[in-house]
Amino acid sequence: MSWRRNQLRAFLVLAVILLITAATYRANAQPAPPADPTPAADTCADPSVEGACRNVPKALRLKLIAIPTILVSSVIGVCLPLLSRSVPALRPDRNLFVIVKAFASGVILATGYMHVLPDSFSNLTSPCLPRKPWADFSFTTFVAMLAALFTLMVDSLMLSFYNRRKGGNTSGRRTSGAVADHESPAHEHHWHSHGHGHGHGHAGGIVVADKPEDDEASQVQLRRNRVVVQVLEMGIVVHSVVIGLGMGASQNVCTIRPLVTAMCFHQLFEGMGLGGCILQAEYGAKMKAGLVFFFSTTTPFGIALGLALTKVYRENSPTALIVVGLLNAASAGLLHYMALVELLAADFMGPKLQSSVRLQLLCFLAVLLGAGGMSIMAKWA
């Protein structure tokens, strides 16, 4: 009797499974209601049909105004932290600098999440692209994930390269000649003064540091800061060229007018974040000038490139959507990694913030303000 009861239960379970499977198959097999072709057709139409917002002469004037305006905003933003050495309260060892850096890190984090990533989703899920494979797979998140992992790999390999090239002796006992860095005037001055203060009893002029472990840790941190600057600049440059290209190629006055103002604030705050990292990397004047130049000119260069390609570039063409979407996804993954791991986590888990709960809370508030401000700005840029 129990055997028959179990058999009946098994039969009922199997019947329920078959009914659920059949219902699911029927729901998926039903043809979708015919979509209205008009929206997709309008979206993918030639940009020459843009209604009252299309005004080529006025768009050209706005773009010519945007190039110097964004350039000046970028220069001011990235140079503000570099000029902060003259202000005692804004030196890297002061609490105010840590709070300002946290604000700038929040800006960079929101740039990746609220500006770059949504643009990639919009591009790669556009109705102008064929449904297969673009609608069947989340390419944006996949490429962003790969970019974050690639950034981790580059970060690790570059740091190893720096340590091997600069280190030489890894035993922890270094001489002044081995540790001095030709790109860091501050470090050269430090070792020069140390040599004068302690060099009177040493034969051959070799000066050994009093605390080699502390100096080794500071040198490793310096190299890490330099890797952060180079990788972060790469991600920002890619995003800046892409957004500048889109603005330069557009003839839509209704889009360009608010975008110019938003991009000025965007570059100002993003430049502050990058400038703080450049300051901590303690580069020489030439390297600082090169980093400032590349950051400041990439968006204006993108606008100029878009102006030159106005006749052939269509932002709704499949090729443009795919290329720009993939670049935005890669840039988003890079910015997410750099903001969370190299900037925020490194500072919040570091000894300075761990030793002060009050400073931690102030930095959290600064991060929220920076990320919140950039999130609001995402409405226009």
Side-chain angles (χ1 to χ4, degrees), residues 133-197:
W134 303 104
D136 296 337
F137 186 74
S138 182
F139 283 95
T140 294
T141 50
F142 179 69
V143 173
M145 177 187 68
L146 291 182
L149 293 175
F150 178 76
T151 306
L152 171 64
M153 182 184 71
V154 170
D155 190 12
S156 175
L157 291 176
M158 286 182 68
L159 187 60
S160 299
F161 172 75
Y162 266 94
N163 288 333
R164 288 174 182 272
R165 192 182 69 172
K166 301 284 185 182
N169 175 22
T170 58
S171 63
R173 303 195 58 81
R174 296 180 175 271
T175 64
S176 61
V179 177
D181 191 343
H182 70 281
E183 291 180 333
S184 299
H187 278 65
E188 289 175 3
H189 176 72
H190 166 75
W191 281 101
H192 181 69
S193 62
H194 182 83
H196 278 290

Side-chain angles (χ1 to χ4, degrees), residues 14-346:
L14 183 60
V16 170
I17 293 173
L18 288 174
L19 285 173
I20 294 173
T21 306
T24 306
Y25 177 79
R26 183 179 176 82
N28 291 333
Q30 284 179 349
D36 184 9
T38 307
D42 289 344
T43 305
C44 305
D46 192 310
S48 60
V49 189
E50 287 182 351
C53 286
R54 179 178 170 82
N55 189 325
V56 176
K58 198 169 184 179
L60 179 60
R61 284 198 300 272
L62 287 173
K63 286 182 272 191
L64 292 178
I65 293 171
I67 291 176
T69 307
I70 293 175
L71 178 64
V72 171
S73 301
S74 303
V75 171
I76 292 174
V78 76
C79 287
L80 275 177
L82 301 180
L83 300 175
S84 65
R85 283 189 182 275
S86 58
V87 182
L90 289 175
R91 288 176 181 168
D93 58 337
R94 300 300 177 89
N95 290 345
L96 184 58
F97 178 84
V98 178
I99 295 171
V100 172
K101 187 185 174 188
F103 174 85
S105 300
V107 168
I108 293 173
L109 182 66
T111 299
Y113 276 109
M114 298 300 298
H115 291 250
V116 189
L117 197 63
D119 287 347
S120 178
F121 273 115
S122 177
N123 290 328
L124 297 182
T125 57
S126 170
C128 304
L129 292 177
R131 288 191 58 82
K132 288 189 177 182
W134 303 104
D136 296 337
F137 186 74
S138 182
F139 283 95
T140 294
T141 50
F142 179 69
V143 173
M145 177 187 68
L146 291 182
L149 293 175
F150 178 76
T151 306
L152 171 64
M153 182 184 71
V154 170
D155 190 12
S156 175
L157 291 176
M158 286 182 68
L159 187 60
S160 299
F161 172 75
Y162 266 94
N163 288 333
R164 288 174 182 272
R165 192 182 69 172
K166 301 284 185 182
N169 175 22
T170 58
S171 63
R173 303 195 58 81
R174 296 180 175 271
T175 64
S176 61
V179 177
D181 191 343
H182 70 281
E183 291 180 333
S184 299
H187 278 65
E188 289 175 3
H189 176 72
H190 166 75
W191 281 101
H192 181 69
S193 62
H194 182 83
H196 278 290
H198 298 277
H200 294 296
H202 298 279
I206 297 177
V207 182
V208 181
D210 292 336
K211 294 183 178 180
E213 293 83 4
D214 293 344
D215 182 72
E216 172 68 17
S218 66
Q219 287 296 308
V220 170
Q221 184 60 43
L222 177 64
R223 294 167 197 147
R224 188 170 186 81
N225 290 338
R226 293 183 173 179
V227 172
V228 168
V229 168
Q230 294 171 21
V231 178
L232 182 60
E233 175 117 0
M234 181 175 65
I236 292 175
V237 162
V238 170
H239 166 57
S240 298
V241 171
V242 167
I243 197 170
L245 179 64
M247 183 192 293
S250 175
Q251 304 293 357
N252 192 321
V253 179
C254 302
T255 301
I256 297 173
R257 190 184 291 112
L259 191 59
V260 174
T261 306
M263 279 303 300
C264 288
F265 284 103
H266 180 280
Q267 292 296 104
L268 178 70
F269 292 127
E270 198 172 54
M272 288 173 61
L274 180 63
C277 295
I278 295 174
L279 181 64
Q280 287 187 312
E282 298 185 13
Y283 279 118
K286 288 184 179 179
M287 190 65 176
K288 285 180 181 176
L291 293 168
V292 169
F293 173 80
F294 278 110
F295 170 76
S296 304
T297 56
T298 44
T299 302
F301 170 76
I303 297 173
L305 184 62
L307 280 170
L309 298 176
T310 302
K311 299 294 183 183
V312 295
Y313 179 82
R314 276 183 52 225
E315 60 181 12
N316 287 330
S317 68
T319 303
L321 288 169
I322 292 170
V323 172
V324 172
L326 293 178
L327 285 176
N328 275 332
S331 179
L334 190 154
L335 291 175
H336 295 168
Y337 172 85
M338 297 305 296
L340 288 173
V341 178
E342 296 291 5
L343 299 179
L344 292 174

